[in-house]
Amino acid sequence: MSADPLIAVLIGPGGVGKGTIAQRLTELDNGLWLSRSWTTRPQRPTETGSEYNFVDRATFEQAIAADQFLEWAEFHGNLYGTPLPKAPNNADILLEIEVQGAEQVRRANADAVVFLILPPSMEELEDRLRVRGDSDDHVARRLSSTPSELNKGHELATYVLVNDDVETVSREILSILEGLRLQRRNPSEKE
Ligand code: 5GP
């Protein structure tokens, strides 16, 4: 039986609904602990402030120098990072991050399970990006990097799921995680 927590990583283009799925997963499964990232991105008007630990670049860079991140990456001019996880005992770790960070997590932890979340269509993705309150320019930049994020995402993903419906996709993820937990408890039944 493995004592290490399972690390589940949600990746996918901005606007695909990773954050909503991550929240729903932690509501449905109290054995999952959602990491709160740090970012140098300014808070959006639509955000409450609890979405991230919003910090300035100097503070973020000090934390990098002090090796305080499991992974970090620069994405569209802002820094984002996962502080070294302090999950409660026996909890599995849930990360909602972009692909460069997911690559680092995978390199450090080959067992990390990576879920690529896809939008039902590119039109829907664009609509979802627009309602978040970012400028048109920012939305256009986010959309322009979507194809390369998706390519990298497909290379990294253990599972690929379409977010047609948050509840359905969350329950699919939980059933996969439950299977993985069982395998880890009974490694002899793997094959
Ligand atoms: P947003 O600015 O839209 O909140 O996030 C931009 C991207 O950064 C999203 O794909 C989000 O998943 C990702 N992200 C959020 N937190 C982290 C983190 O800690 N590390 C990395 N590498 N990416 C993150």
Side-chain angles (χ1 to χ4, degrees):
M1 174 169 163
S2 173
D4 292 335
L6 184 65
I7 303 185
V9 186
L10 301 185
I11 58 169
V16 79
K18 288 171 296 192
T20 315
I21 296 169
Q23 283 302 336
R24 187 65 188 132
L25 288 173
T26 55
E27 285 164 14
L28 291 169
D29 183 341
N30 56 20
L32 265 184
W33 177 83
L34 178 61
S35 168
R36 182 162 175 255
S37 298
W38 288 32
T39 187
T40 61
R41 168 172 73 62
Q43 191 179 325
R44 295 188 181 112
T46 52
E47 290 177 323
T48 63
S50 63
E51 294 78 3
Y52 287 100
N53 182 17
F54 292 97
V55 297
D56 60 26
R57 191 169 267 262
T59 306
F60 199 112
E61 285 172 348
Q62 276 163 20
I64 296 173
D67 273 338
Q68 286 175 7
F69 291 113
L70 174 66
E71 62 72 36
W72 65 272
E74 181 144 14
F75 182 78
H76 288 289
N78 295 307
L79 300 173
Y80 295 84
T82 305
L84 285 171
K86 291 196 188 103
N89 271 348
N90 300 323
D92 291 322
I93 296 170
L94 179 63
L95 306 180
E96 188 250 290
I97 60 180
E98 53 69 67
V99 286
Q100 303 166 75
E103 240 178 335
Q104 295 169 43
V105 173
R106 226 337 144 47
R107 231 177 283 138
N109 187 317
D111 287 343
V113 52
V114 179
F115 296 93
L116 170 63
I117 313 295
L118 298 179
S121 69
M122 290 306 281
E123 290 72 28
E124 179 123 5
L125 187 71
E126 187 166 346
D127 287 349
R128 290 193 201 165
L129 273 176
R130 288 197 192 287
V131 297
R132 302 202 302 192
D134 286 335
S135 67
D136 287 353
D137 182 48
H138 186 86
V139 171
R141 272 187 283 129
R142 291 292 296 264
L143 285 170
S144 71
S145 67
T146 299
S148 68
E149 285 171 52
L150 286 177
N151 283 341
K152 182 57 81 204
H154 277 286
E155 280 170 28
L156 273 173
T158 330
Y159 298 94
V160 179
L161 301 164
V162 176
N163 184 16
D164 276 319
D165 174 65
V166 169
E167 196 61 25
T168 310
V169 82
S170 302
R171 289 186 186 272
E172 279 170 3
I173 292 172
L174 284 185
S175 110
I176 293 168
L177 291 179
E178 210 33 60
L180 292 170
R181 285 167 172 157
L182 277 173
Q183 271 180 18
R184 285 156 61 92
R185 268 182 237 134
N186 306 296
S188 58
E189 290 173 21
K190 222 174 189 164
E191 277 82 32

